[in-house]
Amino acid sequence: MSVLKSIDLIKSYDGKNALQGINLTVEKGDVYGLLGPNGAGKSTFLNIVVNLISKYSGTIFLFDQKKNKENLRQIGFVPQDLAIYEDISAYRNVKFFGGIYKLKGKELEERCEFALNAVGLWEHRKRNPITFSGGMKRRLNIACSIVHNPKFIILDEPTVGIDPQSRTCILDSIKALNKDGATIIYTSHYIEEVEAICNKVAIIDAGRIVEEGLISEVKEKYQKGNSYEFVFQHGIKAEEYFPDAAEYGIFTVNNRAIVTSLRDIALEDEVMEMLGEIDELISVGKYRPNLEDIFLTITGKELRDGSV
């Protein structure tokens, strides 16, 4: 069963298309990662799904039915911006959002306890969020979004600017929620998070899906047999030593020179010798692409630079 299916989704602002025909299917049980630079259309897409944007072209199906009030209530949405009240306790925050979904009495109490435990905040339930760290506020934001036991959870950049402990807690919570039956959409600029918790991925750029599928299959697609990885000390770029690097399919990311398009044995020997003579070289090995490499290959943008 598909939990989400978008067909030919188009959204325009001031005559420009923010989304240019998004066709995407999320199956029950998926943890689906959405990647893309800022302005690619990720948040616009999610806001359409949860009905925060109502004017668009195309069709949205939720749980194999056209989007409607009833199936929208089965979504838990965690927005980029915090949606909590800082001057009331964490417990009252979660209870308030549970009330919006018509939870009452013992069921509401049990769901509040579950949601706060899920994000590691039960012992802090009596504290006001104004006293929380940024990571704790993010975790409370998630608790408020899952109190009604949604079948489909959408998280838009839930780990921005938080401490490593809270990030680990959030990722573990997502895995646990998925194990308990929830289907997840997860967007992040931290590509290693997507690689760690998602089984599928879509890369969105300029309002279009430019790559999608099982992460294992996407990696396999960009794996090239005659490819190598040269690891350098901090700050070294192969392009500084080899001006024609791009022509030969060489690019540097995170201090690794990725050699991807060598076809001629003589050229291979030439490039291998050239890179091997760089004093700052630490190691050489076969190239195994990760999602960040693939993102860079497709879009030409690094996820963590100022343009993202």
Side-chain angles (χ1 to χ4, degrees):
M1 181 183 81
S2 67
V3 172
L4 168 67
K5 187 173 185 178
S6 69
I7 300 175
D8 297 331
L9 210 60
I10 298 173
K11 175 61 182 176
S12 298
Y13 295 102
D14 300 323
K16 296 181 179 179
N17 284 341
L19 298 181
Q20 304 191 58
I22 297 292
N23 293 286
L24 182 69
T25 300
V26 178
E27 301 289 346
K28 183 179 179 180
D30 281 343
V31 183
Y32 206 115
L34 291 185
L35 295 175
N38 282 343
K42 303 186 303 298
S43 292
T44 298
F45 173 72
L46 297 182
N47 286 335
I48 288 174
V49 171
V50 300
N51 229 34
L52 291 177
I53 295 175
S54 58
K55 294 182 179 181
Y56 57 89
S57 297
T59 307
I60 296 285
F61 289 90
L62 295 171
F63 308 100
D64 289 335
Q65 297 180 346
K66 279 193 175 182
K67 184 171 65 173
N68 57 60
K69 289 183 179 180
E70 288 304 312
N71 54 36
L72 280 168
R73 293 175 66 84
Q74 299 180 57
I75 296 178
F77 180 50
V78 183
Q80 286 188 38
D81 297 328
L82 292 172
I84 58 176
Y85 296 97
E86 297 205 349
D87 56 349
I88 63 174
S89 71
Y91 186 89
R92 287 182 63 195
N93 264 277
V94 179
K95 186 176 182 179
F96 170 79
F97 284 97
I100 291 176
Y101 287 93
K102 309 301 182 183
L103 298 179
K104 297 179 181 179
K106 186 177 180 180
E107 181 185 15
L108 176 56
E109 292 176 2
E110 290 175 348
R111 289 304 307 172
C112 287
E113 183 174 355
F114 171 85
L116 287 164
N117 270 317
V119 296
L121 288 178
W122 177 247
E123 65 184 48
H124 302 288
R125 63 190 180 279
K126 296 181 180 179
R127 289 174 55 187
N128 289 2
I130 197 170
T131 68
F132 283 3
S133 67
M136 292 172 73
K137 290 178 182 178
R138 289 279 175 187
R139 286 150 58 192
L140 179 58
N141 210 36
I142 294 174
C144 291
S145 300
I146 65 172
V147 65
H148 60 298
N149 195 24
K151 297 178 181 178
F152 183 26
I153 303 171
I154 299 174
L155 302 104
D156 192 6
E157 305 281 357
T159 62
V160 171
I162 66 173
D163 56 276
Q165 291 84 359
S166 286
R167 174 172 288 112
T168 298
C169 179
I170 287 172
L171 297 181
D172 288 345
S173 298
I174 292 169
K175 292 176 185 176
L177 290 165
N178 178 247
K179 187 176 181 180
D180 286 342
T183 299
I184 312 286
I185 282 185
Y186 189 84
T187 78
S188 179
H189 282 167
Y190 301 105
I191 198 164
E192 66 274 13
E193 294 179 357
V194 171
E195 197 158 8
I197 68 172
C198 298
N199 65 313
K200 294 180 182 176
V201 66
I203 298 176
I204 300 177
D205 195 22
R208 299 181 184 276
I209 293 179
V210 293
E211 187 59 85
E212 64 176 323
L214 290 166
I215 289 179
S216 58
E217 292 179 354
V218 171
K219 285 184 176 181
E220 184 178 353
K221 178 179 178 180
Y222 288 85
Q223 174 68 56
K224 299 176 181 178
N226 200 24
S227 300
Y228 302 89
E229 176 178 277
F230 295 75
V231 181
F232 300 106
Q233 293 178 12
H234 179 71
I236 298 299
K237 290 185 177 294
E239 293 89 337
E240 297 173 3
Y241 294 85
F242 192 45
D244 297 325
E247 179 181 346
Y248 295 108
I250 301 173
F251 63 90
T252 305
V253 58
N254 291 344
N255 303 315
R256 296 177 299 131
I258 312 302
V259 185
T260 62
S261 61
L262 299 180
R263 293 291 182 271
D264 180 85
I265 295 299
L267 177 60
E268 177 178 330
D269 291 342
E270 175 187 339
V271 173
M272 295 281 282
E273 181 179 357
M274 179 278 300
L275 291 174
E277 290 178 351
I278 298 176
D279 292 337
E280 292 81 359
L281 180 67
I282 296 174
S283 65
V284 179
K286 274 288 188 180
Y287 172 53
R288 299 290 183 267
N290 58 33
L291 284 183
E292 187 165 358
D293 300 334
I294 293 167
F295 184 97
L296 179 61
T297 300
I298 293 171
T299 70
K301 305 178 184 74
E302 291 192 41
L303 278 174
R304 296 188 184 86
D305 67 20
S307 65
V308 177

